[in-house]
Amino acid sequence: MNIILLGPPGAGKGTQSSRLVEHRGMKQLSTGDMLRAAVKAGTPVGLKAKSVMDAGELVSDEIVSELIDAELAAMGPDTGAIFDGYPRTEVQAQILDELLAKHDRSLDHVIELAVDEDALVERITGRFSCANCGTLYHDTANPPVQEGVCDNCGSTEFKRRPDDNEETVRTRMQEYRAKTAPILPGYEARGIVTRVDGMASIDEVTASIDAILG
Ligand code: AP5
Ligand code: MG
């Protein structure tokens, strides 16, 4: 099974992807995570992407599509893919169709996480993650059980993303509205889109996604 999780910054794509990885053994393909890893490693892709990401704008279609192509090539044929944060433009949506055909896969579901944008700023500015294993948290909605200690690996080091400030979040949302939301009608025409209330609790959103995937 191959699915797209679609939604604006802070909609919960990463949070729900981790659960699908854990519960169903699928693989999360997050172009945002791949780009952050490239920035951290100082690769040529990372050097190009850093200032664009810090401004909240979109990295080029070619760069992100090459990252996805490489990941699909490395995956076993029986592992399902969760596209998290890709595709984000009409060009990327078209390239994804070509990549899926190339790797002998098809798209089963596009799950749209519908959210109230004003609430998202709070979600994003409250987000942090474990510096060791990447588990996602939120200051109020989803803190670690024991303050200052990662639930998953026990690390006491946490980090925040440089693009998680209010000004950059506003730009990221504008980019979503202008360039990403327009890809939905094409998927709707194929009858594969299901909308989920992304403002519900994390567990409720997981339950809705489970019901869709069966
Ligand atoms: P990317 O990393 O994809 O960021 P994004 O789309 O802005 O989305 P986020 O990761 O911010 O949000 P999320 O939906 O994953 O929410 P999360 O689960 O973390 O992209 C970053 C940048 O990389 C882009 O701006 C761009 O520059 C570049 N880029 C990436 N892909 C690209 C592409 N394809 N093309 C071009 N450029 C690209 O949740 C957020 C917070 O809310 C967390 O704290 C979480 O604990 C909490 N939370 C989650 N769900 C709930 C809930 N139901 N209730 C309460 N709190 C919740
Ligand atoms: Mg994310």
Side-chain angles (χ1 to χ4, degrees):
M1 179 141 44
N2 302 291
I3 68 169
I4 294 175
L5 288 185
L6 197 70
K13 304 179 296 289
T15 303
Q16 298 301 328
S17 295
S18 317
R19 291 183 167 207
L20 290 168
V21 167
E22 200 182 316
H23 300 166
R24 293 176 183 257
M26 296 175 79
K27 184 159 169 60
Q28 176 188 12
L29 302 182
S30 160
T31 39
D33 287 349
M34 294 172 205
L35 290 168
R36 279 184 289 278
V39 169
K40 194 172 170 198
T43 67
V45 163
L47 293 177
K48 262 195 208 159
K50 185 174 183 339
S51 58
V52 181
M53 294 173 78
D54 284 348
E57 291 161 6
L58 293 185
V59 174
S60 80
D61 294 329
E62 292 70 29
I63 287 182
V64 290
S65 300
E66 277 169 24
L67 292 172
I68 290 286
D69 189 15
E71 289 287 332
L72 287 173
M75 274 171 69
D78 298 331
T79 304
I82 310 158
F83 297 99
D84 162 2
Y86 182 93
R88 250 174 157 102
T89 63
E90 303 214 39
V91 172
Q92 290 178 28
Q94 199 185 326
I95 296 174
L96 177 59
D97 282 339
E98 292 162 16
L99 290 178
L100 287 167
K102 172 179 167 188
H103 295 285
D104 228 359
R105 289 173 181 267
S106 58
L107 197 55
D108 299 284
H109 296 281
V110 175
I111 297 177
E112 183 196 0
L113 297 170
V115 281
D116 162 11
E117 281 195 14
D118 287 332
L120 294 187
V121 174
E122 204 281 311
R123 267 201 201 173
I124 291 182
T125 50
R127 168 171 57 190
F128 60 100
S129 65
C130 173
N132 178 47
C133 73
T135 296
L136 281 173
Y137 296 99
H138 186 274
D139 290 325
T140 52
N142 183 30
V145 175
Q146 188 186 338
E147 196 186 335
V149 182
C150 176
D151 297 345
N152 185 48
C153 74
S155 166
T156 53
E157 299 287 326
F158 295 89
K159 60 181 183 184
R160 291 184 191 256
R161 275 168 48 176
D163 59 344
D164 278 354
N165 58 77
E166 180 157 356
E167 192 194 341
T168 309
V169 170
R170 298 272 177 210
T171 307
R172 285 157 61 194
M173 282 175 181
Q174 275 164 19
E175 292 282 82
Y176 180 82
R177 275 196 300 270
K179 297 174 184 163
T180 308
I183 71 177
L184 259 171
Y187 290 123
E188 272 160 359
R190 294 193 215 167
I192 53 173
V193 177
T194 313
R195 181 168 304 189
V196 164
D197 176 13
M199 298 313 295
S201 73
I202 294 175
D203 286 344
E204 284 166 334
V205 176
T206 303
S208 303
I209 294 175
D210 275 339
I212 294 163
L213 303 187

